[in-house]
């Protein structure tokens, strides 16, 4: 149980700045995901929190106490690594017992032969055995305790790694892309298990992933990191629906959000692909990006915007129609809820979107406030010309 | 229905017979091709390894002398003579002592130096080169340098001792120290080689295991070494020990240059005995018998290594 505060954290490797002043407060018992494209510094941030990497400047506070100079093990945080980092020469039992033995036995008691003769060792070992077996039962790996990590499947190794983390009841768990090495089906399964584990333990979870779907489905809050900066922190739905930066909008959500080149006119109206949208903004005149999520694009046979169908992705329960369109860099993607009614590839198709589906960003990628003009005539109208 | 089934079965059976015949042909053809492909390697092994080995073993049952026009089979006489010979036993004991000192010394030092270089920040390649130098240098030439260094009057070692106010010593001329001086040179020579092997092993240990150890509470360098480094170096260590042991059994150059087995056989070793018997006294048969004993030890080490390698060592 721990509240973790990160204050103005900076980290540079050989002059290259990886973390550029990160501020984040993680509540006690919260499940927060650090998500971002590879190389955005999220793993480095986790390693700084864990104490495996010293920061260049700034501060990490755990439960209000500065963790600077505190050894990783003394911070009492547990970490699950992407590669599991199990000790290959130790059995599953011994792997899980390592943190307990390190904490509860003295160096002399751990010594290979002399240790057995120490008076307190047998009692301590019995308690450790009970603790390990309890955790193994909880994670359903009791039958595997005698095996070596090399004899386990990826999912089983993952469980052992989690077991090693939870056995010593740490103040917080740090997960560094723990599901990346699993196959897609198992990943979805483990996602649910980790979320369940969090509900059970009610401890602080910090979860690093590049997979926005993992972040969206498991965590209470997600923190989107791009280029060494925290761009947006919030509930998954809020980040998805109300991104503050175009990079967040583009990173969160699959398929990617559709971005149209647009312009803010001098009268405050938005204009795209030669059409003036039925929306107003207080922002200054200039270039902008008009973004619309695929599920908010509506296909219609007539008018509005139009393009040619270049690709279809039928997922069974839903389908995505890729529409090649003059004036946009990438095809526009629209979600169709009923895959039985798909247009043919090569067909010309019209599409549009409701004004409230628009998220507009200025030339620097920052979000622009948009609103319907004061005199609203047709609220469900699709892209007014 | 059943007719149809039998008909189907018949159809299924019909082509099977010739298929099996073809397979038989193919198998025979394949094994011929396999033998043909393996033949060059097998021939080389026969000519270079197995042949000479059989020759040496055969020679050890004869009274052949180098250059002699004829020889006769004398059975186990050579071995009987050898086991009755005091020099042989001294030689064997000295060799085993040499191995028992050089192997742990060179392995421990090699590992220590590798760990120091690996954990150091700069000058890594400089240190690597310095420690590897003795391996690359010709041992005979280096032995002569050691001879100067260990010289009782003008040697650097005694000079340093005298400067520190200690009594010098006739290292190579004293029965009590000659063998141990050779051990020191052996360790000096083998450390660099072991270091390179250990460095390669250290580089291949995944970094995240150290992270996990750190998180799990292995704070000191020693506990990290015990938890991660040492077990992960298992395969390398086994290999290094075996190689060091075999190379130590082969010690010859330094003995030949520095002590000639003396003084009074105190540094006589197996290969040196073999050399003097075979090439100075021309008793090839007897020399071959000594060689067979030497080969038996090397074989024992090899068997030990592969037995341990299958059981005790953890490949990640």
């Amino acid at each position: 149980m721990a509240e973790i505060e990160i204050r103005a954290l900076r980290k540079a490797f050989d002059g290259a700045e990886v973390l550029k002043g990160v501020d984040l407060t993680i509540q006690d018992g919260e499940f927060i995901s650090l998500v971002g494209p590879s190389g955005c510094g999220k793993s480095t941030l986790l390693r700084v929190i864990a104490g495996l990497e010293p920061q260049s400047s700034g501060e990490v506070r755990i439960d209000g106490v500065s963790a600077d100079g505190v050894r990783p093990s003394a911070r009492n945080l547990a970490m699950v690594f992407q590669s599991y980092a199990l000790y290959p020469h130790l059995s599953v039992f011994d792997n899980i017992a390592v943190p307990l033995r390190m904490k509860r036995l003295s160096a002399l008691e751990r010594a290979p032969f002399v240790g057995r003769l120490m008076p307190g060792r047998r009692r301590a070992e019995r308690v450790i055995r009970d603790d390990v077996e309890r955790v193994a039962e909880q994670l359903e790996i009791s039958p595997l305790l005698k095996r070596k990590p090399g004899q386990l499947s990826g999912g089983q190794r993952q469980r052992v790694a989690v077991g090693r983390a939870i056995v010593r009841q740490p103040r917080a768990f740090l997960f560094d892309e723990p599901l990346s090495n699993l196959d897609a089906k198992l990943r979805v399964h483990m996602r649910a298990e980790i979320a369940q584990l969090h509900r059970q333990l009610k401890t602080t979870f910090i979860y690093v992933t590049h997979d926005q779907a993992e972040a969206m489905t498991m965590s209470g809050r997600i923190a989107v990191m791009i280029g060494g900066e925290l761009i947006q922190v919030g509930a998954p739905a809020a980040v998805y629906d109300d991104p503050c930066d175009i990079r967040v909008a583009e990173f969160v959500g699959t398929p990617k959000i559709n971005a149209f080149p647009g312009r803010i006119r001098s009268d405050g109206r938005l204009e795209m692909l030669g059409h003036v949208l039925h929306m107003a903004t207080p922002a200054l005149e200039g270039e902008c990006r008009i973004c619309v999520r695929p599920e908010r694009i509506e296909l219609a046979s007539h008018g509005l915007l139009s393009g040619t169908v270049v690709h279809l992705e039928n997922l069974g329960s839903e389908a995505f129609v890729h529409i090649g369109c003059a004036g946009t860099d990438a095809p526009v993607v629209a979600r169709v809820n009923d895959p039985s009614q798909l247009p043919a590839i090569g067909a010309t198709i019209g599409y549009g979107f409701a004004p409230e589906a628009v998220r507009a960003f200025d030339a620097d990628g920052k979000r622009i406030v948009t609103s319907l003009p004061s005199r609203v005539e047709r609220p469900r109208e699709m892209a007014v010309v | 229905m059943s007719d149809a089934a039998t008909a189907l079965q018949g159809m299924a059976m019909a082509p099977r017979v010739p298929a099996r015949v073809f397979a038989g042909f193919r198998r025979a053809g394949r094994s011929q091709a396999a033998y043909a492909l393996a033949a060059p390697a097998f021939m080389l092994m026969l000519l270079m390894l197995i042949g000479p080995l059989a020759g040496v073993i055969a020679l050890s049952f004869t009274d052949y002398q180098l250059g002699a026009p004829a020889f006769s089979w004398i059975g186990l006489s050579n071995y009987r003579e050898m086991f009755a010979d005091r020099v042989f036993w001294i030689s064997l004991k000295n060799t085993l002592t040499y191995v028992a000192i050089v192997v742990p010394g060179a392995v421990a030092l090699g590992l220590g130096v590798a760990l120091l270089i690996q954990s150091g920040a700069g000058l890594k390649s400089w240190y690597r080169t310095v420690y590897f130098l003795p391996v690359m240098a010709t041992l005979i030439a280096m032995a002569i340098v050691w001879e100067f260094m260990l010289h009782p009057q003008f040697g650097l070692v005694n000079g340093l001792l005298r400067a520190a106010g200690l009594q010098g010593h006739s290292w190579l001329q004293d029965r009590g120290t000659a063998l141990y001086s050779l051990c020191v040179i052996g360790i000096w020579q083998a450390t660099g080689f072991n270091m390179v092997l250990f460095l390669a092993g250290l580089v291949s240990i995944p970094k995240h295991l150290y992270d996990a150890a750190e998180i799990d509470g292995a704070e000191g360098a020693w506990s990290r070494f015990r938890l991660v480094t040492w077990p992960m170096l298992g395969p390398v260590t086994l290999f290094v020990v075996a190689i060091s042991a075999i190379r130590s059994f082969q010690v010859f150059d330094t003995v030949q240059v520095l002590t000639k087995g003396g003084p009074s056989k105190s540094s006589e070793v197996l290969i040196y005995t073999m050399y003097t018997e075979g090439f100075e006294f021309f008793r090839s048969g007897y020399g071959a018998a000594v060689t067979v004993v030497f080969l038996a030890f090397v074989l024992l080490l090899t068997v030990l290594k592969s037995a341990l390698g299958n059981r005790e060592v953890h490949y990640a």
Side-chain angles (χ1 to χ4, degrees):
Chain A
M1 293 292 179
E3 183 187 82
I4 297 171
E5 287 174 80
I6 297 151
R7 294 265 163 276
L9 199 74
R10 286 177 182 277
K11 173 73 190 173
F13 289 107
D14 302 327
E17 202 160 43
V18 180
L19 298 176
K20 302 170 180 167
V22 174
D23 285 281
L24 181 64
T25 301
I26 299 158
Q27 305 296 335
D28 184 12
E30 183 181 21
F31 193 142
I32 188 166
S33 291
L34 299 175
V35 64
S38 21
C40 71
K42 54 193 190 303
S43 283
T44 308
L45 177 56
L46 197 74
R47 290 173 62 83
V48 171
I49 296 173
L52 292 172
E53 208 80 68
Q55 65 266 40
S56 306
S57 71
E59 196 184 23
V60 175
R61 297 175 76 85
I62 302 173
D63 279 336
V65 182
S66 172
D68 294 346
V70 178
R71 295 299 296 258
S73 54
R75 296 184 185 200
N76 199 10
L77 308 172
M79 191 154 170
V80 178
F81 296 86
Q82 176 177 357
S83 49
Y84 321 126
L86 299 175
Y87 308 112
H89 57 289
L90 297 180
S91 67
V92 168
F93 178 92
D94 288 329
N95 260 288
I96 298 176
V98 163
L100 298 181
R101 289 199 174 126
M102 287 292 169
K103 199 156 73 175
R104 297 182 191 166
L105 300 179
S106 67
L108 205 56
E109 284 171 327
R110 287 199 305 267
F113 301 107
V114 197
R116 301 245 170 93
L117 306 172
M118 301 303 288
R121 155 125 176 188
R122 280 185 84 183
R123 193 157 16 89
E125 273 293 332
R126 209 173 310 136
V127 182
I128 288 171
R129 173 164 293 277
D130 290 344
D131 286 350
V132 171
E133 279 170 358
R134 182 175 43 75
V135 165
E137 207 161 305
Q138 188 183 348
L139 294 168
E140 294 165 15
I141 50 174
S142 303
L144 309 177
L145 282 177
K146 287 202 172 66
R147 294 206 201 158
K148 294 273 170 68
Q151 300 166 301
L152 303 180
S153 70
Q156 289 169 331
R157 284 183 212 185
Q158 183 63 65
R159 272 165 212 259
V160 176
V162 170
R164 188 174 63 180
I166 64 178
V167 74
R168 59 180 175 155
Q169 297 165 327
R171 294 197 285 186
F173 288 91
L174 312 177
F175 292 89
D176 189 6
E177 311 219 9
L179 305 184
S180 301
N181 288 356
L182 301 180
D183 63 63
K185 209 165 188 176
L186 197 53
R187 204 180 305 158
V188 174
H189 175 72
M190 289 302 284
R191 226 149 70 179
E193 266 190 28
I194 291 178
Q196 173 63 25
L197 191 70
H198 176 248
R199 280 190 287 273
Q200 218 173 30
L201 298 171
K202 299 185 178 64
T203 311
T204 314
F205 273 43
I206 307 175
Y207 190 101
V208 162
T209 178
H210 65 270
D211 182 350
Q212 50 92 24
E214 260 173 40
M216 299 278 288
T217 48
M218 297 162 71
S219 37
R221 279 201 303 165
I222 66 178
V224 184
M225 279 187 80
I226 288 164
E229 286 172 283
L230 263 188
I231 307 291
Q232 190 170 6
V233 183
V239 172
Y240 182 80
D241 208 44
D242 200 12
C244 70
D245 192 288
I246 191 160
R247 291 172 293 173
V248 175
E250 289 188 331
F251 184 75
V252 175
T254 33
K256 217 166 94 173
I257 198 166
N258 297 299
F260 301 93
R263 248 180 62 75
I264 306 164
R265 301 199 318 179
S266 54
D267 63 355
R269 297 284 286 260
L270 293 173
E271 182 187 301
M272 65 170 264
L273 303 177
H275 304 280
V276 181
L277 300 185
H278 189 65
M279 349 193 34
T281 173
L284 295 175
E285 183 181 1
E287 298 289 311
C288 72
R289 308 284 288 174
I290 311 263
C291 296
V292 183
R293 294 262 176 220
E295 68 271 20
R296 305 296 287 266
I297 301 266
E298 292 167 34
L299 299 181
S301 49
H302 60 281
L304 317 175
L305 298 159
S306 72
T308 321
V309 177
V310 293
H311 182 54
L312 294 171
E313 286 177 307
N314 188 346
L315 303 179
S317 61
E318 59 186 6
F320 295 99
V321 179
H322 296 238
I323 304 164
C325 204
T328 61
D329 321 328
V332 176
V333 180
R335 193 178 82 183
V336 178
N337 289 326
D338 182 5
S340 65
Q341 302 196 336
L342 288 178
I345 289 182
T348 303
I349 194 164
Y351 64 94
F353 43 82
E356 62 268 25
V358 166
R359 306 285 176 265
F361 301 90
D362 66 15
D364 298 330
K366 294 278 165 281
R367 178 75 179 276
I368 311 171
V369 184
T370 51
S371 59
L372 301 177
S374 48
R375 211 162 48 81
V376 181
E377 294 144 357
R378 290 169 293 175
R380 286 297 303 158
E381 180 189 33
M382 299 165 68
V384 178
V385 178
Chain B
M1 175 66 202
S2 67
D3 284 350
T6 29
L8 271 176
Q9 258 179 10
M11 272 166 69
M13 287 298 285
R16 220 193 271 162
V17 179
R20 206 175 327 158
V21 173
F22 276 129
F25 274 127
R26 212 163 40 222
R27 206 166 320 140
R30 194 186 305 165
S31 70
Q32 269 171 17
Y35 284 130
L37 287 169
F42 183 73
M43 285 306 292
L44 274 178
M45 219 163 86
L46 202 69
L47 283 173
M48 313 287 243
L49 296 170
I50 299 170
L53 189 66
V56 165
I57 293 172
L59 211 56
S60 72
F61 297 113
T62 69
D63 65 351
Y64 179 70
Q65 298 209 332
L66 196 59
F71 64 86
S72 54
W73 294 96
I74 55 167
L76 290 171
S77 286
N78 279 331
Y79 290 93
R80 226 172 285 133
E81 186 190 342
M82 186 171 73
F83 291 133
D85 185 4
R86 203 178 54 88
V87 175
F88 167 75
W89 289 109
I90 292 174
S91 170
L92 185 62
K93 191 183 124 251
N94 284 344
T95 309
L96 291 174
T97 310
Y98 184 86
V99 172
I101 292 173
V102 171
V103 171
V107 170
L109 268 178
L111 178 60
V113 170
L115 286 170
L116 283 176
I117 290 177
Q118 179 72 4
S119 65
L123 293 176
K124 279 189 185 181
S125 58
W126 157 254
Y127 283 118
R128 263 203 309 266
T129 314
V130 165
Y131 280 98
F132 198 66
L133 221 52
V135 187
M136 296 189 291
T138 314
L139 188 53
I140 303 241
M142 289 297 114
I144 293 166
V145 174
W146 274 101
E147 190 172 19
F148 288 134
M149 280 179 40
L150 294 171
H151 192 278
Q153 271 94 51
F154 323 111
L156 186 67
V157 175
N158 279 357
L160 284 172
L161 284 176
R162 272 197 292 273
L166 294 167
Q167 189 72 49
H169 200 88
S170 307
W171 301 102
L172 295 169
Q173 289 74 29
D174 185 322
R175 291 181 54 181
T177 54
L179 183 64
Y180 301 109
S181 303
L182 293 179
C183 286
V184 170
I185 299 171
I187 292 174
W188 168 83
Q189 208 256 337
T191 296
F193 187 65
N194 294 350
M195 170 209 72
V196 167
L197 293 174
F198 277 124
L199 271 177
L202 283 173
V203 167
S204 68
I205 298 177
K207 179 82 177 57
H208 55 74
L209 281 184
Y210 288 105
D211 289 343
E214 183 97 16
I215 296 263
D216 286 343
E219 287 178 355
W222 173 246
S223 44
R224 273 201 302 277
F225 178 77
R226 277 280 319 281
L227 185 60
V228 180
T229 314
W230 182 242
M232 296 302 286
L233 281 181
V236 176
T237 309
L238 185 64
F239 179 73
V240 168
V241 167
I243 285 283
S244 301
I246 289 171
R247 285 165 68 107
S248 308
F249 262 105
Q250 296 170 339
V251 58
F252 172 75
D253 314 30
T254 46
V255 180
Q256 162 73 3
V257 173
L258 296 177
T259 66
K260 304 242 185 265
S264 58
K265 306 287 177 201
S266 65
S267 63
E268 180 91 14
V269 292
L270 271 184
I271 299 278
Y272 190 75
T273 310
M274 186 205 87
Y275 170 78
T276 45
E277 292 292 341
F279 298 97
E280 287 190 351
F281 308 145
F282 301 123
R283 299 175 62 204
S284 301
Y286 187 79
V290 177
T291 311
V292 169
V293 171
F294 164 76
L295 287 174
F297 274 103
V298 173
L299 190 69
L300 183 74
L301 277 169
T302 314
V303 169
L304 220 62
K305 177 194 174 291
S306 49
L308 275 175
N310 292 340
R311 201 162 50 88
E312 272 300 316
V313 179
H314 315 284
Y315 292 87

